Structure formats: structure tokens, C-alpha cells
Amino acid sequence: MKPLPDRIRPEKFEDVFGQEHILGEGKILHRILKSKMIPNMIFYGPPGTGKTTVANIIASKTNKKLYKLNATTASLSDVKEVIESLNTLMARDGVLLYLDEIQNFNKKQQQSLLQFMENGSITLIASTTENPYFYVYNAILSRSIIFEFKPLKNEDIVKAMKRALEIVQSEFENTVINIEEEALEYSANVSGGDIRKALNSLEIAIFSTPKDEDGNINVDINIMKECTQKNIFKYDKNGDNHYDILSAFQKSIRGSDPDAASLYLAMLIKGGDLKSICRRLLVIAAEDIGLAYPQAISIVKACTDAALEIGFPEARIPLSEATILLATAPKSNSAIKAIDAALSELDTTNLGELPVYLRDGHYEGAKALGRMQNYKYPYAYKNNYVKQQYLPDKVKDKKYYIYGENKLEQASKNYWDRIKGTNNE
């Protein structure tokens, strides 16, 4: 007997749960199927979200010869076999190649398809759990439409489980299968948006539960918990998910949300990526807190050093301290804006020479070249300040640093406004 996910696999878009953003009435994939002009496509998303199901539905609506390859096990010779079939009567209308896990094909293997994609003799539908922009050859990307499949919502998974239950019920004679709604909701909640995982748990629960005295099967939440794997947090240190979580982590701290920051920190900790956490916290301390609380980076450095020294699981404690400190600290991005503005100036402006009185004069002959002549030493003046041009002539009036709207930087601004406004040369 086939596994339950395969027995209930939909044969039309209307029976597919989730992915309404691309499969719903009037949406792009729905329109493509109606047009019967099938382009090259790449389906991108986590496991159990319907990529293979949708590919099968599309394939069934064409007159093309269907081939299925899994790039994990397929070789270049398998691709050549598909190409050779183009000259046969079986493929007189062309070939539709469904290539699963395309990220496992190297550049040469992917390139072998280009010529035939170009002339339309092969229509490619590829699927991948990895970001195609990182793993798929650019020439393939430029000839394909990319569709992102998203994790299913809990309510969609519950609907799919109820549909599966109807099918399983039809396979039993004189047996009623009763499953608590709470059990279905629990399974959906811990499936991580993977419908296949939820259906496998449902099947195990049904077939492993002994019948009661009336010959019926009753599955409650406790039985479902026994048959359901613990929710496994999906994390890939080298994948798209890694950078998405780091991005959400920094944006939550920047947005002063300690709760969201703590959740994303927990995800990073679950992934065991200590170095990335420490590096990102130090970047945040300088980029997002900056001069509003300049001591923060020293505290964060102490916390990250401690975390690296003690390792997991205890490292979570100083990491949490640093995260909450940064999330609740005043914010300023004036430091990064200043250096980025200065760097941009270098890319667009020929600055010419530096002011001659600022240039090094600590060598024989420097005086004859005018080096350090007429330089005003600030400590020789009141308040250790004297008005003097430090920028090159071409950008002498530019402002790269703009004081942030926070207590510390505004106090600094007020101080220098007073000193520079009253200073006499």
C-alpha cells in the first residue's frame, strides 16, 4: 500500500491545500494551466508544501512526454537519455522534465539542458528546497519563472488531514475511525507547515491504535502525541534560512522589540551557530545603537567573549543579556551613515590634495615642502578647539556626520555648538 500522502495526492489545483497566492482562481499558475502554454518553471520552498503535486498536475495537462529525475541520484547520462528521446515518436510534442532537488546538479549538468530549453523541445519544471538564486545556474534562472511555495497554515493542514481521514475510512469495513479535533490541531501545529509530516503521523496513529470493544478506532491527543515526532526546528547554517533568521534578529533589535529578538535568538541557538550570533550582536551594537549608547559595544563584547568561552548550553545566558540590552537601548545609526557617506564620496569625487598643513612633517625636508606649516594646535587654544579647515578643498563644506536625535548625541551637539559658536581664534 502506498503511503497516505501519495494516496490522497490531489489531481487538480482546486484540491490542493494552501499556496493560494499562486494557485488561487485568477492567480499566475492557475492562468498558466488554463493557457496550456507551459513555461520553464522553478518551484522553491520547504518540504511538504505541494511542489511535486503541482508539477504532476501541470504535467498531466500537457501532451508532452513526462520524465522525472531526482538530482540527488541522477547523473549526466540520465539527462542525455532524456535528450535522446526527443527524436522518438513518444516525444513528438516535446518533453516535460520534472527535476526534483535541482540544487544538487552541478553547473555542467544544468548547462546540458540549456539548448533544449532554448528551442522549446524540453520544458523544465524544477523544484528545490534551497534559494534558487544561490544554487541554480544563472542561464537556467533567466529562462524560468520562479514560484515560491510557502509552509502551509495549520488550518490548511487540518483540512488535508480530514480529507485523508475520509479516504482511510473508506478503506475500513465495519470500523468507524474517530479522531479528536484537538489531536488534529496538535499534529498540524507541530508539523512545521509540512503536510506530508502531518499525514504520516495521522496514518501511524490510525493503524497503531487498537480497536475498542465495538471494533472502532479512537484517536485522542495523547495517542497523536505518541505518533508525532517532536517539532524539529529547520535550520541550515549554509542556507537561505540562516540569513533570513539573522536578518529578522537584527531588525527586531533595531525595532526595539526584545520579545521578537529573543525568539530569533532562540532559533539561532537551536541551530548551534554561536559565532554568527556573536558577530551579529557586535555589528548591531555599532550599527544600530552606536553613539546613542557607545558603552553598549563594550558590554556586548564582554557577553560574546563569555559565550564563546563557556559554549552552549550556558552561552545562551550572556547572549540573552546582550540581546535584551541592545533591544531596549536607545538607537542611533549616525555612525554607519557617516562612514557610508564618506565612502560614497570616495567613489564619486576626485578629492585632490589634502590640506598641506595636515600632512606629515616629521622628516627631513618636510619644512621646505610646506608640510605642517600654519597648522593650529587645538590644545594651544581655549577649550582645546580652534577653527581650522580639515577637509580637502573640494569637499570643504560637506557634512558626513549628522548628530542623532538621542540624549547623548544631542548633548554632544549642544556642547560643540556652544564651543564653536563662542570660540575666538
Side-chain angles (χ1 to χ4, degrees):
M1 183 183 293
K2 290 182 178 180
L4 184 57
D6 290 329
R7 301 209 303 279
I8 73 158
R9 193 180 294 278
E11 296 181 355
K12 55 185 179 179
F13 281 172
E14 290 74 16
D15 293 334
V16 177
F17 293 100
Q19 314 309 333
E20 290 87 356
H21 63 294
I22 53 176
L23 296 180
E25 184 70 35
K27 299 299 183 181
I28 180 65
L29 266 179
H30 209 280
R31 299 201 307 270
I32 285 174
L33 189 62
K34 282 187 175 181
S35 73
K36 297 185 179 180
M37 294 293 292
I38 309 300
N40 300 302
M41 294 181 279
I42 297 176
F43 294 164
Y44 154 52
T49 52
K51 299 187 297 296
T52 301
T53 295
V54 171
N56 284 337
I57 293 172
I58 293 173
S60 69
K61 303 300 181 181
T62 72
N63 294 321
K64 297 177 182 293
K65 172 67 177 175
L66 175 64
Y67 286 91
K68 295 182 182 180
L69 294 179
N70 189 307
T72 305
T73 56
S75 64
L76 191 57
S77 62
D78 295 309
V79 176
K80 289 179 178 178
E81 185 177 329
V82 173
I83 293 170
E84 288 170 359
S85 73
L86 294 172
N87 299 318
T88 67
L89 287 174
M90 293 179 63
R92 62 183 180 274
D93 295 319
V95 162
L96 191 149
L97 172 61
Y98 177 59
L99 181 58
D100 198 13
E101 304 294 347
I102 188 175
Q103 76 274 6
N104 291 307
F105 259 15
N106 59 36
K107 185 176 180 179
K108 184 177 181 181
Q109 289 171 309
Q110 292 186 35
Q111 283 180 317
S112 66
L113 298 169
L114 284 176
Q115 174 188 343
F116 305 97
M117 292 173 63
E118 192 72 43
N119 62 28
S121 54
I122 289 181
T123 299
L124 176 69
I125 300 181
S127 67
T128 175
T129 56
E130 306 292 345
N131 191 325
Y133 292 100
F134 297 159
Y135 291 93
V136 179
Y137 182 48
N138 283 337
I140 298 283
L141 290 177
S142 68
R143 292 164 173 79
S144 307
I145 301 176
I146 298 173
F147 295 98
E148 182 176 4
F149 284 62
K150 299 179 180 180
L152 271 69
K153 298 177 182 176
N154 285 2
E155 52 265 35
D156 289 327
I157 294 177
V158 169
K159 290 177 184 176
M161 293 175 75
K162 288 181 177 179
R163 179 171 175 269
L165 183 58
E166 292 175 1
I167 292 173
V168 174
Q169 179 66 75
S170 68
E171 298 171 349
F172 280 81
E173 293 184 6
N174 304 318
T175 297
V176 176
I177 303 173
N178 301 304
I179 299 184
E180 292 181 354
E181 186 76 17
E182 189 180 12
L184 296 176
E185 291 174 353
Y186 172 82
S187 182
N189 193 47
V190 300
S191 68
D194 185 337
I195 196 169
R196 186 184 296 111
K197 179 179 177 181
L199 292 174
N200 285 335
S201 298
L202 175 65
E203 186 171 33
I204 293 170
I206 292 171
F207 285 93
S208 66
T209 301
K211 296 179 181 180
D212 64 15
E213 57 186 18
D214 296 321
N216 299 325
I217 296 173
N218 302 296
V219 177
D220 59 20
I221 189 171
N222 292 323
I223 292 174
M224 187 63 79
K225 285 181 177 180
E226 288 180 336
C227 298
T228 302
Q229 293 181 358
K230 181 181 178 182
N231 187 24
I232 300 174
F233 176 65
K234 299 171 183 175
Y235 187 87
D236 180 2
K237 290 183 182 180
N238 300 312
D240 200 26
N241 180 250
H242 166 76
Y243 296 103
D244 286 345
I245 296 173
L246 282 173
S247 177
F249 180 53
Q250 180 163 3
K251 288 181 174 69
S252 298
I253 292 176
R254 180 183 296 155
S256 303
D257 188 331
D259 300 306
S262 296
L263 178 64
Y264 295 125
L265 173 64
M267 291 181 179
L268 293 166
I269 290 172
K270 282 283 189 181
D273 196 357
L274 181 54
K275 286 187 178 180
S276 289
I277 301 171
C278 293
R279 179 183 178 278
R280 187 57 62 108
L281 284 169
L282 288 166
V283 169
I284 294 168
E287 179 180 350
D288 295 302
I289 284 72
L291 294 168
Y293 183 23
Q295 298 91 336
I297 194 167
S298 298
I299 299 171
V300 170
K301 182 64 166 66
C303 289
T304 54
D305 282 352
L308 290 167
E309 180 70 23
I310 61 181
F312 288 130
E314 288 85 355
R316 74 189 190 283
I317 304 169
L319 293 177
S320 179
E321 178 182 347
T323 297
I324 294 171
L325 171 76
L326 296 179
T328 56
K331 306 296 188 296
S332 172
N333 67 343
S334 59
I336 187 174
K337 287 176 69 177
I339 189 59
D340 283 352
L343 287 167
S344 178
E345 190 78 77
L346 296 180
D347 291 335
T348 58
T349 305
N350 179 6
L351 298 178
E353 293 188 334
L354 305 181
V356 67
Y357 48 85
L358 297 183
R359 295 161 75 176
D360 182 27
H362 296 91
Y363 58 89
E364 187 177 349
K367 186 174 182 180
L369 295 174
R371 304 293 192 264
M372 284 186 65
Q373 303 302 303
N374 301 317
Y375 169 63
K376 298 173 183 178
Y377 188 57
Y379 299 110
Y381 297 83
K382 182 181 178 181
N383 296 318
N384 299 325
Y385 172 77
V386 60
K387 186 175 181 180
Q388 184 171 218
Q389 180 184 324
Y390 291 97
L391 284 168
D393 286 340
K394 288 190 176 182
V395 292
K396 65 180 181 179
D397 296 321
K398 285 292 185 76
K399 297 289 183 185
Y400 303 113
Y401 170 64
I402 306 298
Y403 288 95
E405 296 293 333
N406 57 78
K407 182 178 180 180
L408 192 60
E409 285 184 90
Q410 285 300 302
S412 178
K413 180 179 184 300
N414 292 336
Y415 171 79
W416 284 111
D417 284 348
R418 177 172 58 83
I419 296 299
K420 293 180 180 182
T422 59
N423 179 263
N424 295 314
E425 296 186 32

